[in-house]
Structure formats: C-alpha cells, structure tokens
Amino acid sequence: MYQAPRGTTDILPQEQPYWRFVEQKAVSVCQLYGYERIDNPAFEDTGLFVRTVGSGTDIVEKEMYTFEDKGGDSITLRPEGTAPVCRAYLEHGLHNLPQPVKLYYLASIFRYERPQAGRYRQHHQFGYEAIGDDDPVLDAEVIDMAWQLFLSLGLKRLSLNLNSIGCKECRPGYLARLKEYYADHIGELCPDCKVRLERNPLRLLDCKNRVCQQMAESVPKSIDYLCPPCEEHFSQLKKYLGLLSLPFVVDHLLVRGLDYYTRTVFEVQPEKGGAQSTLGGGGRYDDLIEELGGKPAPAVGFAAGIERIILNLKKQGVAVPTLPGPQVFIAYLGEAAGDEAMKLASALRRADVGVIESTGGRSLKAQLRQADNLGVRHTVIIGEQELQAGMAVLRDMTTSEQKDVPFDQLPKLLR
Ligand code: AMP
C-alpha cells in the first residue's frame, strides 16, 4: 500500500474547518490593511533561492527539493515565499506602481527537514510583503498585522520578539566583533557552529545546542553596533509599537534563518514553546530586490506556518466554526419513488438548496439513520403512497415532526 511521503500530510475533511478558519482570518486581516493577493508558481529557477536565501543557510545547503527537469534546467520547489513575490514584483513591473506595493500569499512550502511534531517536508505558509519603502511605520504595520491575526484567531499566551540586525553598512563591524568573541571559545562550539562561524556567524546566536546557547548568553548585541540611521530606524519602530500597545520584547539572540534580512527581525512564539515552535516570523529585507537586479526597493514582510497555527488552536482548545453542508436528505422506497427523488434533488439544487440523495436502496430506518449521522435539518421521504398523492413527507430531524408537502412547493419552502 502506498503512503503519503514522509513529512507530508493529507488534510482530511474533518480537518478542513481549521484550515478554512485560519485562511479566512488571514484574508480578512490583509483586506483590513490593504494587502492584495498574489499566487506564485510552486517551483522556480534554483538560482532565485540560492541568491536570495543565501548559500550558507540551512535551507539552501540541506533542505531544498532541487532537481533537473527534462529540459535540463535546475528547478527548486519553493522553500519560502518571499523570493518568488520579489521576482514577480520585478518581472511584472510592479515597481512602476505607487510604492509601497502590498501583497499577500497562501502557499505550500517544501523543505527537506527531519519530520517531527510541527515540522514537515511540505507545509503551508500565509505571508505578506510591503515592498518599496523603508519607513519604520511599515515595519510597525507588518508586526501589528501579525499580532492582530493571532488575536483574531483567539490564540493566547504568545510572545512578540524583536531585534535589529543592522544593514550592510554596520553589520560587518558587528560580525567581526562576533567572530572575535567566539574565536576564544571555538573548541567548545558544536560542529555546525564551527562551520557557521566562517560562513554565517549570525546563526551561532540561535543554535539549539546547549553549550552554544550558554555561550550566546553574554555575546555582544547587534543593537550596540547599529549605525546611526539603523539606530534611528529601530528607535522609531519601538516608538510606533508602543503607540500600537504591542507587547514586544527585544531579544538580542533573535536572528532569522535567511540571509536577506536587514534591520528589523521579529518572531511570534507561544510563550512556553521556544524557538522550535515559532508560529511566524519576518523582518526587513532592504537589499533583496536590488540583489535580484532591480532598482533599490526596501521591503518588509512576515510569514506564518498554518500547521503550527492549527496545532496551537487545538492545544488552546479554540473552537472553530463548522463548515456549512447540505441541510436536506432525500430518502425513498421503491424504484418509481427513486426517479421522483432524483428529479426533486435536482430541482432543490437549482433553487440553491443543498441536498444529499439516498443511494443503495436501503430500508427507511437505515436511510433515516444516515440522515441523522449527516446532521441534516430535514429529511424528505418519498414512498409509493406519496408518489400517488404528489406529496412528500417532510421530517424535521430535530423535533421528529412530519408533514405532507406537495413536490412543487418543496424548493421554495426549503430555501
Ligand atoms: P521561516 O520561513 O522559516 O521563517 O518559517 C515561517 C514559519 O513557517 C515558521 O515560523 C513556522 O511556523 C513555519 N514553518 C517553517 N518550517 C516549517 C516546517 N518544516 N514545517 C511546518 N511549519 C514550518
């Protein structure tokens, strides 16, 4: 028997109410803040991700689903949502529109990771991007949107962590200082961090290894090395977040797994979960568009994992609305009644009344049991006698009351 590939899941009907609930809240928050939907292809040229996410990152080094297609091109299944949006922004001349351009997406994401609770090889992200402006008002807006989304989902006990990791002017100075700090402790670092120290020293700060974490406690802080414009940007942002009453904490160890971030980085986590259970994160990426060959267009964005959100909705016992289904079941006895049932089902659907028609010629008792299981409000019953009289029995499934109704009046009545 075939099984779904490791790290992937089927989203069965009983799970769908959670998915619809999250998607609907995500879409409404985007509408409230004026973000428009974009859908990108599920795969792109490999170079797009290597160039933007960064060749020294876990994603590019270990996690991409990369293959050569039959035409010999190197293709990669989307391992994150921002680079494709930026590629489309340039490709379709969105830089010619009034800036910033505000876009959101719901997309499947592919990463070859070690599957565990809340970590899959195919997962889904909701994300949004504001491209073409470096005003910290936008950073505040993007963070506020994330926070309002989680509030509207009914999630509680979340923390909002914030940091600034500087820009291409001031970051080199900080990285040099970071390397100096770690140089004295190199023997104690985990094997991954020894490599990171050369290739991607920022990532030493959020290594999950216990010894590396201890060492990170007294590490120099990026915010102490910001250039004056970055410092001003960060202090403005903090002021705006205060105005919006967002309960942020500055976390000096917060860096993100992708190379393109500049200045603002932030994450939303369940209070007790730690970094492994992060619900979503984002930040500013002021050089990415330029890196892709466009004119400078500073930008900021956010993405959240839908599976993680749903995991937390369940953990916190948040009730989600059930999805509307047909409220009418048609039961019948005998072949002639069956023909009438089919005509009636069709008439009801044309009148916009959802119907489930009985199949399989079961006893009336069995058919009523099925109607009960489906949870419909009404069952229409047609037998020999009803056929003769041109009337059906309409049964209210909650009260068990029954009445006779002429066939042609049923669509209007049930609607
Ligand atoms: P990232 O692009 O790594 O910042 O991921 C954004 C969000 O997507 C994370 O905060 C998680 O909620 C979610 N996420 C990332 N990787 C996975 C994964 N492998 N499985 C499930 N969710 C993930």
Side-chain angles (χ1 to χ4, degrees):
M1 291 270 272
Y2 289 112
Q3 293 188 332
R6 213 164 111 71
T8 68
T9 44
D10 299 305
I11 306 167
L12 296 175
Q14 77 231 33
E15 288 294 310
Q16 295 291 342
Y18 285 97
W19 285 80
R20 295 293 87 75
F21 177 62
V22 175
E23 284 168 10
Q24 179 242 316
K25 293 289 182 194
V27 171
S28 12
V29 92
C30 286
Q31 282 168 347
L32 272 178
Y33 288 74
Y35 287 63
E36 294 180 295
R37 178 148 180 163
I38 182 167
D39 290 281
N40 302 113
F43 57 84
E44 299 270 353
D45 283 337
T46 300
L48 175 69
F49 299 114
V50 175
R51 189 86 186 260
T52 57
V53 176
S55 55
T57 58
D58 281 354
I59 292 182
V60 169
E61 278 201 333
K62 307 182 199 158
E63 297 170 0
M64 294 209 303
Y65 279 89
T66 296
F67 58 97
E68 195 175 290
D69 68 9
K70 294 198 191 317
D73 292 323
S74 181
I75 294 294
T76 293
L77 300 186
R78 169 177 52 204
E80 65 100 38
T82 299
V85 171
C86 292
R87 196 258 315 130
Y89 170 90
L90 286 171
E91 183 173 338
H92 303 288
L94 305 187
H95 50 282
N96 296 319
L97 301 175
Q99 306 290 299
V101 170
K102 299 180 175 183
L103 301 167
Y104 77 91
Y105 58 85
L106 286 152
S108 47
I109 302 288
F110 305 86
R111 294 181 188 174
Y112 189 78
E113 296 199 82
R114 201 161 55 80
Q116 51 193 289
R119 189 166 296 280
Y120 310 98
R121 289 184 175 169
Q122 178 183 335
H123 72 278
H124 298 78
Q125 289 187 6
F126 158 61
Y128 48 85
E129 320 285 348
I131 308 175
D133 200 332
D134 69 356
D135 193 329
V137 164
L138 268 190
D139 305 51
E141 173 177 289
V142 161
I143 295 172
D144 186 42
M145 275 175 78
W147 196 251
Q148 295 315 318
L149 169 68
F150 292 121
L151 283 188
S152 76
L153 288 166
L155 287 174
K156 304 211 164 67
R157 299 180 297 281
L158 302 179
S159 70
L160 172 56
N161 296 356
L162 178 73
N163 198 10
S164 174
I165 55 172
C167 66
K168 58 185 174 202
E169 301 302 323
C170 53
R171 176 120 35 100
Y174 173 60
L175 293 185
R177 180 67 198 92
L178 207 54
K179 282 186 178 178
E180 231 173 74
Y181 170 85
Y182 279 111
D184 297 338
H185 308 275
I186 197 156
E188 300 153 56
L189 292 172
C190 76
D192 279 347
C193 279
K194 284 186 179 131
V195 180
R196 285 183 191 131
L197 190 56
E198 278 317 305
R199 305 192 58 178
N200 202 352
L202 269 189
R203 290 319 302 268
L204 269 79
L205 301 186
D206 68 348
C207 177
K208 304 295 171 293
N209 180 289
R210 204 173 43 83
V211 180
C212 299
Q213 278 183 348
Q214 275 169 1
M215 241 183 282
E217 274 169 21
S218 41
V219 82
K221 299 171 180 168
S222 57
I223 53 168
D224 293 335
Y225 291 80
L226 299 180
C227 58
C230 283
E231 204 174 293
E232 171 66 13
H233 195 273
F234 192 48
S235 100
Q236 286 283 69
L237 171 59
K238 286 187 293 182
K239 184 187 98 179
Y240 295 143
L241 295 180
L243 289 178
L244 294 168
S245 305
L246 297 185
F248 69 94
V249 287
V250 176
D251 174 357
H252 306 297
L253 299 181
L254 176 62
V255 293
R256 309 257 311 130
L258 302 89
D259 275 0
Y260 52 63
Y261 285 107
T262 51
R263 294 187 163 174
T264 313
V265 287
F266 70 100
E267 281 187 355
V268 179
Q269 293 171 4
E271 244 167 30
K272 290 211 183 84
Q276 290 285 33
S277 53
T278 300
L279 286 168
R284 192 159 263 295
Y285 49 96
D286 287 343
D287 307 321
L288 196 154
I289 296 279
E290 209 178 344
E291 182 66 29
L292 291 176
K295 285 206 224 78
V300 56
F302 171 79
I306 300 185
E307 284 84 352
R308 295 260 178 103
I309 292 178
I310 292 175
L311 220 62
N312 281 274
L313 288 172
K314 289 181 180 173
K315 239 190 231 167
Q316 297 194 10
V318 176
V320 301
T322 50
L323 297 177
Q327 290 301 321
V328 178
F329 184 80
I330 305 183
Y332 61 87
L333 287 169
E335 201 178 315
D339 291 351
E340 191 58 42
M342 179 176 275
K343 284 198 291 186
L344 178 63
S346 164
L348 287 173
R349 289 172 186 141
R350 270 152 233 240
D352 245 355
V353 178
V355 177
I356 295 173
E357 196 184 340
S358 178
T359 49
R362 276 167 287 183
S363 70
L364 184 60
K365 202 167 145 203
Q367 294 184 63
L368 287 178
R369 204 175 322 121
Q370 187 188 355
D372 242 349
N373 289 338
L374 288 166
V376 295
R377 284 195 52 197
H378 293 100
T379 296
V380 176
I381 305 166
I382 310 173
E384 203 60 39
Q385 227 179 317
E386 285 72 32
L387 214 52
Q388 301 287 321
M391 307 248 248
V393 174
L394 181 63
R395 181 185 174 92
D396 183 316
M397 297 303 285
T398 346
T399 61
S400 301
E401 269 170 41
Q402 301 196 157
K403 61 180 175 188
D404 295 335
V405 181
F407 288 129
D408 59 357
Q409 285 179 25
L410 277 166
K412 197 165 161 217
L413 187 69
L414 285 170
R415 194 163 59 183

